[in-house]
Amino acid sequence: MAEILKGAPVAAALTEKLIEQADGLKAKGITPTLAILRVGENPGDISYETGAVKRCEKIGIDVKKFILPDVSKVLDTIENINADKNIHGCLMLRPLADKNIEKAACEILCPEKDVDCMTEKSLAKIFTGSPGFAPCTAQACMELLDFYGVELEGKSVAVIGRSLVIGKPVSMLLQNKNATVTMCHSRTKNLAEVCRNSEIIIAAIGKANFIDKNFAAPGQIIIDVGINLDSDGKLCGDVNFNEAEPIVKAITPVPAGVGAVTTAVLAKHVIEAALVMVK
Ligand code: NAP
């Protein structure tokens, strides 16, 4: 039976440390503050926002919500967030309906407040290995591997997916830890074989139960980033858990895996952004 790598203990350990850091900041007169910018009433956005607010409340991070009915005031709002010295981080829930506005918003947000890595400047830092905030979900994978003591140096990792939110940045973060990464995508040939020959799999595809027993091998560690609904409308990952779990060494569940760590990483980035103010 595989070890089940749950996200809750990872989030709890991060949260405990962040509470101390938030208290330290408050003692110096700084209240760490996150701005959440949401356009419209998308249930997925509201659900993520609710989780983020709960996590921030627990830690002692203030949240200022900017809820807009449409995209017309997005850029003005970002400018206001940039100018507000009491706001340390900004989470803009994406995707926006208007891609041009989304791109413009990503260009103008101050990188120091870019706690979810939506600007090209922040992404460039991940790619050059400079200090900066990685996308929260990509970083959540790294926190999870670190918490469970998974050694990355020299390991072969198959990352499936090459989006700017997960696949590409997590590949860079893994390379920075000296893993040997194969970045796979929809045109990769012999994907199952590539996966079977890898010691670690990071699945970020967006296809319910896609990674089945043919992709799994004994001794492997599987991190499932996917959040999908199966044919019965039940939440599931990109990995067919029931097929892969009996074969591999360790695997994250969905739900309660990577997703449970993401808001803790967001909070960590807000605290780090606020800590810069006291340096
Ligand atoms: P995305 O932008 O749609 O990217 C999906 C990637 O998967 C693409 O690079 C695509 O390849 C690749 N792909 C699609 N079909 C494939 C196939 N048959 N074989 C191999 N590769 C294939 O998705 P995303 O935003 O990265 O999200 C991925 C998953 O993570 C989704 O399920 C999403 O809901 C989930 N997610 C989870 C969290 C969390 O906190 N846990 C946060 C955000 C997203 P091409 O580039 O060739 O098209």
Side-chain angles (χ1 to χ4, degrees), residues 137 161-163 166 185-186 204-207 210 225-228 262:
T137 307
R162 57 176 166 180
S163 74
I166 304 165
H185 46 77
S186 63
I205 313 164
K207 292 204 164 143
F210 183 84
V225 183
I227 300 178
N228 315 293
T262 308

Side-chain angles (χ1 to χ4, degrees), residues 152-158 174-175 177-182 198 200:
L152 292 169
E153 175 119 5
K155 290 279 170 65
S156 55
V157 187
L174 290 160
Q175 298 233 40
K177 296 278 180 193
N178 298 319
T180 302
V181 180
T182 307
S198 299
I200 300 171

Side-chain angles (χ1 to χ4, degrees), residues 12-271:
L14 281 170
T15 301
E16 197 182 326
K17 196 170 160 207
L18 294 171
I19 290 172
E20 266 178 41
Q21 290 178 314
D23 287 348
L25 280 164
K26 283 182 186 163
K28 291 187 169 118
I30 297 167
T31 303
T33 302
L34 169 69
I36 297 184
L37 170 52
R38 166 163 58 84
V39 180
E41 302 295 323
N42 178 300
D45 288 349
I46 294 171
S47 160
Y48 187 61
E49 177 188 312
T50 306
V53 170
K54 267 195 204 153
R55 180 70 58 188
C56 287
E57 274 172 359
K58 204 167 182 178
I59 290 165
I61 295 171
D62 269 9
V63 177
K64 280 192 185 173
K65 289 192 197 178
F66 298 84
I67 316 286
L68 306 178
D70 56 57
V71 294
S72 58
K73 295 236 160 41
V74 165
L75 300 183
D76 290 345
T77 307
I78 298 263
E79 297 285 18
N80 290 339
I81 290 168
N82 280 345
D84 189 334
K85 288 197 179 76
N86 295 319
I87 292 177
H88 306 100
C90 171
L91 171 72
M92 182 176 82
L93 293 159
R94 293 175 286 162
L96 298 184
D98 185 320
K99 288 289 148 217
N100 291 330
I101 301 266
E102 180 174 327
K103 192 166 185 292
C106 290
E107 274 164 19
I108 62 169
L109 176 66
C110 186
E112 295 77 34
K113 299 189 180 193
D114 187 12
V115 288
D116 196 27
C117 198
M118 66 184 217
T119 66
E120 287 188 3
K121 278 183 196 145
S122 300
L123 275 169
K125 287 183 178 181
I126 306 308
F127 282 68
T128 55
S130 309
F133 301 119
C136 293
T137 307
Q139 185 62 38
C141 296
M142 301 303 290
E143 298 286 346
L144 215 137
L145 289 165
D146 183 54
F147 180 88
Y148 286 104
V150 177
E151 180 57 57
L152 292 169
E153 175 119 5
K155 290 279 170 65
S156 55
V157 187
V159 173
I160 319 167
R162 57 176 166 180
S163 74
L164 285 175
V165 185
I166 304 165
K168 280 181 184 154
V170 85
S171 297
M172 291 301 135
L173 296 171
L174 290 160
Q175 298 233 40
N176 293 345
K177 296 278 180 193
N178 298 319
T180 302
V181 180
T182 307
M183 208 194 295
C184 309
H185 46 77
S186 63
R187 315 286 170 86
T188 299
K189 287 185 181 153
N190 307 321
L191 181 63
E193 190 185 338
V194 172
C195 288
R196 276 197 310 275
N197 290 331
S198 299
E199 291 164 288
I200 300 171
I201 298 174
I202 312 264
I205 313 164
K207 292 204 164 143
N209 298 321
F210 183 84
I211 303 295
D212 61 21
K213 60 175 187 286
N214 297 312
F215 294 67
Q220 258 177 354
I221 293 164
I222 300 187
I223 306 295
D224 188 354
V225 183
I227 300 178
N228 315 293
L229 293 177
D230 67 13
S231 49
D232 300 325
K234 231 178 101 197
L235 204 62
C236 71
D238 289 341
V239 179
N240 187 323
F241 186 91
N242 292 335
E243 288 195 12
E245 187 272 335
I247 301 170
V248 301
K249 181 178 170 200
I251 183 167
T252 59
V254 177
V258 176
V261 186
T262 308
T263 57
V265 170
L266 174 69
K268 182 181 179 214
H269 289 174
V270 177
I271 295 284

